[in-house]
Amino acid sequence: MFLNKLSILNYKNISEADLVFSPKLNCFIGHNGEGKTNLLDAVYYLSFCRSSCSVPDSHVVRHGCDFFMLDGRYVTDDGDYENVTCGMKAGSKKHFKRNKKEYKRLSGHIGFIPLIFVSPSDTVLVDGGSEERRRLMDVVVSQYDATYIDALNRYNKALQQRNSLLRAEEEPDADLIALWEEQMAAEGETVYRKRDAFVGELVPLFQRFYRDISQEKEQVSLRYVSHCQRGPLLDVIRRDRHKDRAVGYSLHGIHRDDLEMLIGGYPIRREGSQGQTKTFVISLKLAQFEFLKNVRKGVRPILLLDDVFDKLDAGRVEQIVRIVGGDGFGQIFLTDTNREHLDRILGGSRLDYKLFHVENGVISRMEAGDVQA
């Protein structure tokens, strides 16, 4: 599946745009802060029903406006058209439609348009807290397993209810708190099994991409860590109920899961250079792409690459260019401030492509011979 046409109204700094894309490679050139990332974010929104920045929907509405609208026309592998639209007026909820039929639950749309977004902010996967790494797992697994989000939502509801009882001034009802613990354990173990299976298949793909990009200069690995690995989750949760009561929240459960990210056997957040960290997260995202393609039986996700070459040496840039310029990828959206990077990709690839210039939220088509101002 690829995005054939996109119409935008009042999305971030983009007031209006009507764009037709290549089914293969789409390159967006412009200085920082002009709106390249906002364009990619609009494409992301149509897949995930929200911004990649995890901001409230009201924050994506262009300043001074009272609504936004996105309208995307997709072409399936069978040549059929699918239309996805979304919009929101100030003070009201957003509406999300597929072929003019509104979704009753937004979770029903997740996974319909598989997508991987690689951006400079991905370094938060290394530098940030464990919630960022759990989100990485959630975003991928939810795109191929429709039951995953439901299990995770039920777990989070039970967790919220248990925490509320733990914070109560009076001693909580033992039967009631036990009920929520049982639901946490049942749903949590389901989520754990799905995360564990995903990580197990992701690791060799990730290591292969890192090896190719770094030209085998470093060894990297991922290690999934969960309280479920200590025994039955219900026993783990109940074991320290008195401690949870003292602090007012649940200390154990899959909401504390993490992915240890290692280079040379040590945490990359402590040992890795900027270039190694960038290589690590790009390899991780490309591995997610390959994983989704495999699990969806050849359906290639849309790949968004936002300013991926910054802080990388020439050798690593060359390897990324070689990888994304190959035949293994479907539709790609690529942004850069440096025309030379794009020229190298286009010069070494036989892919169909389109060039766009982005300035102050205005997106215009460029011809191959155009020079960036």
Side-chain angles (χ1 to χ4, degrees), residues 58 61 65-68 87-93:
S58 58
V61 180
C65 300
D66 59 3
F67 77 97
F68 83 90
M88 188 187 76
K89 293 182 180 180
S92 62
K93 70 173 187 177

Side-chain angles (χ1 to χ4, degrees), residues 222-239:
L222 298 169
R223 185 184 301 143
Y224 179 32
V225 180
S226 175
H227 291 144
C228 288
Q229 295 158 347
R230 300 181 182 181
L233 186 55
L234 183 58
D235 292 346
V236 175
I237 292 171
R238 286 179 171 172
R239 190 178 302 149

Side-chain angles (χ1 to χ4, degrees), residues 225-264:
V225 180
S226 175
H227 291 144
C228 288
Q229 295 158 347
R230 300 181 182 181
L233 186 55
L234 183 58
D235 292 346
V236 175
I237 292 171
R238 286 179 171 172
R239 190 178 302 149
D240 288 323
R241 187 192 288 176
H242 65 288
K243 291 183 181 178
D244 294 354
R245 173 75 170 141
V247 298
Y249 56 88
S250 302
L251 291 167
H252 298 91
I254 55 110
H255 61 288
R256 306 297 290 268
D257 285 3
D258 203 353
L259 268 180
E260 291 184 353
M261 299 181 166
L262 308 172
I263 184 167

Side-chain angles (χ1 to χ4, degrees), residues 12 16 37 54 60 123 127 153 159 210 220 254 265 295 298 314 316 326 351:
K12 296 191 173 182
E16 184 175 1
T37 301
S54 299
V60 305
T123 55
D127 302 330
N153 286 340
L159 172 66
Y210 193 98
V220 293
I254 55 110
V295 80
R316 297 187 186 221
L351 295 178

